[in-house]
Amino acid sequence: MKNIYDFVVIGAGISACTFASFLNKRFSDSSILLVESGRKLGGRATTRNSRKNKILEFDHGLPSISFSQDTSQDILSIISPLINSKKLLDISNDILLMNEFGFLNNAFTNNKIYRSFPFMINFCEEIINQSINPKKINYLFKTLIKSIKRVNDIWEIQVNPGSFIESENLILSSSLIAHPRCLEILKTNSLPLRDAFIPGDDNVVESVLRETSKLNYIKRKIYILYISYVELVQKLNNQYLHILFSNVIKQDYNFERVIFQQQSDGSMIVLLHCFYLNNITEIKIENIISTLASLFVNYPIFSDLFLKARLIDIMDWRASQPLKNLLPKELQWSSNSKIGFCGDWFDIDSRGGGVESAMNSSIRLAKLLNWK
């Protein structure tokens, strides 16, 4: 007899883990499978081990999480124990802003800025650990969705040629297979969610497809730099230093922020986040180094670090954050087709930013559902 899951969740980032954990608290015997294209939990919040130097470990996507002063009680129930146990650290004082004149100041904000300890991936792990029956939450990593279709009231998800997963309910924690950008990223000729339905069969899905097509996404390129000079690294006092750039610098250079992450051997990984509203462009590493050194000319400790840095990798995030036209929360669940949607692409009243909104949407969806 085939194993039919109660819920298959596409994605294993913060939104998916929040949904799975809260659903497990409601229905501890329901079987849940998270399908993820990456190698482990986290999505953009995952932590990477360098393939060339196994000792290097760093957060290459989401470097921090912002929570507002109006954080919901549901999210507080997740993060309060982690803050109290020092598994979620307040790094607000380690967030600086560089203005267009080359001077650093504290990045004043009404929100608290946190990072998971010791790495960002641990946040997702801790969310799952708070479930009632974590043994019922399963994972399938390094797996791309090839197609989805509904056959005799069961969702059939093709993950590899000739390999299928079946589930009574399907949850999309990302808009990818519903958004036109899917065509380029997955190199497919049509949207998997569109192919799963005859037009007009499900009004909720039709609305999701229509509204999702209006979403524009910030694109990001991350340059991963390595500094082996321990004596220079030791001069930095801030353990979790983030430097944001002013709007003028963003417009002139596409530099969004630079993250400093000390390594266990005393070396350092520096991640330069560049953002693009249109096409992603390549910047020569020599130009990056010289620009960073000139921007930080008033702070020799930083300019010296950059001049000693070498590029070890580049990552493109082609769909890292939706802009405007977020979907209304009423489109989160179709009882007709047993398909649900959650993530930062939904308009949930959260002032803390994308992560807080994504978590609230996941919690709301988990509360909406009935099982058996």
Side-chain angles (χ1 to χ4, degrees):
M1 182 177 177
K2 283 187 176 180
N3 179 31
I4 299 178
Y5 290 95
D6 297 311
F7 294 87
V8 164
V9 183
I10 297 180
I14 292 175
S15 175
C17 290
T18 302
F19 171 81
S21 182
F22 259 76
L23 189 73
N24 184 271
K25 291 174 185 176
R26 294 193 63 208
F27 309 115
S28 59
D29 289 331
S30 64
S31 57
I32 305 170
L33 176 67
L34 275 61
V35 182
E36 167 62 38
S37 61
R39 296 192 291 271
K40 45 191 172 181
L41 288 178
R44 284 193 299 121
T46 196
T47 299
R48 177 177 176 182
N49 294 91
S50 172
R51 297 177 184 175
K52 297 178 182 177
N53 187 344
K54 299 298 183 183
I55 199 172
L56 301 180
E57 196 168 9
F58 51 92
D59 301 313
H60 63 295
L62 184 72
S64 59
I65 305 172
S66 173
F67 291 108
S68 67
Q69 296 177 337
D70 301 322
T71 302
S72 69
Q73 288 301 313
D74 287 320
I75 291 183
L76 287 175
S77 72
I78 296 174
I79 67 174
S80 294
L82 302 183
I83 294 171
N84 293 335
S85 63
K86 306 298 183 183
K87 293 179 180 179
L88 199 60
L89 304 178
D90 182 352
I91 62 168
S92 302
N93 291 332
D94 285 326
I95 312 293
L96 303 178
L97 173 68
M98 169 164 280
N99 64 27
E100 54 269 36
F101 305 108
F103 292 101
L104 293 171
N105 296 288
N106 286 99
F108 298 104
T109 174
N110 293 323
N111 297 338
K112 287 285 189 179
I113 311 297
Y114 294 91
R115 68 160 285 119
S116 184
F117 179 84
F119 296 104
M120 290 299 293
I121 189 175
N122 299 108
F123 186 55
C124 285
E125 294 173 347
E126 291 297 334
I127 291 173
I128 294 294
N129 289 341
Q130 291 181 10
S131 59
I132 300 298
N133 188 6
K135 291 182 179 179
K136 298 295 287 187
I137 303 176
N138 306 279
Y139 311 94
L140 189 59
F141 296 113
K142 296 192 290 186
T143 303
L144 283 174
I145 303 299
K146 301 296 183 181
S147 68
I148 59 172
K149 60 182 178 179
R150 192 159 168 79
V151 181
N152 297 325
D153 295 329
I154 294 295
W155 280 102
E156 194 174 86
I157 302 108
Q158 184 179 8
V159 293
N160 291 304
S163 181
F164 294 87
I165 303 164
E166 293 186 335
S167 176
E168 292 189 11
N169 303 276
L170 179 64
I171 306 298
L172 306 189
S173 70
S174 163
S175 65
L176 178 58
I177 66 172
H179 191 277
R181 74 188 191 283
C182 170
L183 304 178
E184 176 186 355
I185 294 174
L186 298 184
K187 301 187 185 307
T188 182
N189 294 322
S190 56
L191 298 182
L193 185 61
R194 172 72 281 168
D195 292 344
F197 290 89
I198 297 173
D201 268 8
D202 189 307
N203 290 333
V204 171
V205 173
E206 293 296 327
S207 296
V208 167
L209 284 165
R210 182 177 61 254
E211 296 303 316
T212 301
S213 68
K214 300 175 184 178
L215 286 174
N216 290 321
Y217 278 80
I218 293 175
K219 305 176 184 72
R220 286 188 171 89
K221 183 183 288 287
I222 301 174
Y223 294 87
I224 303 171
L225 310 176
Y226 177 61
I227 302 165
S228 60
Y229 294 82
V230 175
E231 65 276 12
L232 279 177
V233 173
Q234 289 176 340
K235 293 181 180 180
L236 281 184
N237 296 322
N238 305 69
Q239 189 174 1
Y240 303 110
L241 184 61
H242 297 192
I243 297 179
L244 312 180
F245 293 107
S246 70
N247 289 331
V248 171
I249 296 175
K250 287 181 183 179
Q251 292 169 5
D252 288 347
Y253 304 107
N254 295 114
F255 293 178
E256 181 182 33
R257 67 179 73 189
V258 61
I259 313 297
F260 300 83
Q261 296 188 6
Q262 294 191 22
Q263 301 297 299
S264 58
D265 64 352
S267 63
M268 176 173 281
I269 292 289
V270 177
L271 301 107
L272 173 65
H273 290 236
C274 298
F275 86 112
Y276 304 85
L277 296 178
N278 298 308
N279 294 327
I280 295 179
T281 59
E282 189 80 37
I283 310 174
K284 291 183 178 180
I285 185 59
E286 314 88 72
N287 294 339
I288 288 174
I289 297 299
S290 61
T291 300
L292 287 172
S294 64
L295 287 173
F296 285 85
V297 68
N298 297 317
Y299 302 91
I301 183 175
F302 292 113
S303 56
D304 289 346
L305 277 172
F306 293 129
L307 290 172
K308 294 292 186 182
R310 62 182 177 87
L311 180 70
I312 61 172
D313 209 347
I314 301 173
M315 293 200 66
D316 287 341
W317 294 94
R318 287 171 289 183
S320 57
Q321 187 177 333
L323 287 171
K324 301 179 181 179
N325 298 315
L326 300 180
L327 276 64
K329 57 189 177 183
E330 290 76 21
L331 298 181
Q332 279 199 268
W333 176 248
S334 168
S335 57
N336 182 43
S337 302
K338 293 187 178 179
I339 184 170
F341 311 93
C342 58
D344 60 1
W345 46 307
F346 278 87
D347 187 12
I348 305 296
D349 186 20
S350 302
R351 300 177 184 176
V355 169
E356 185 175 342
S357 178
M359 292 178 70
N360 276 329
S361 76
S362 301
I363 293 167
R364 182 180 185 275
L365 179 60
K367 288 181 174 183
L368 279 174
L369 302 185
N370 293 315
W371 179 63
K372 301 298 184 185

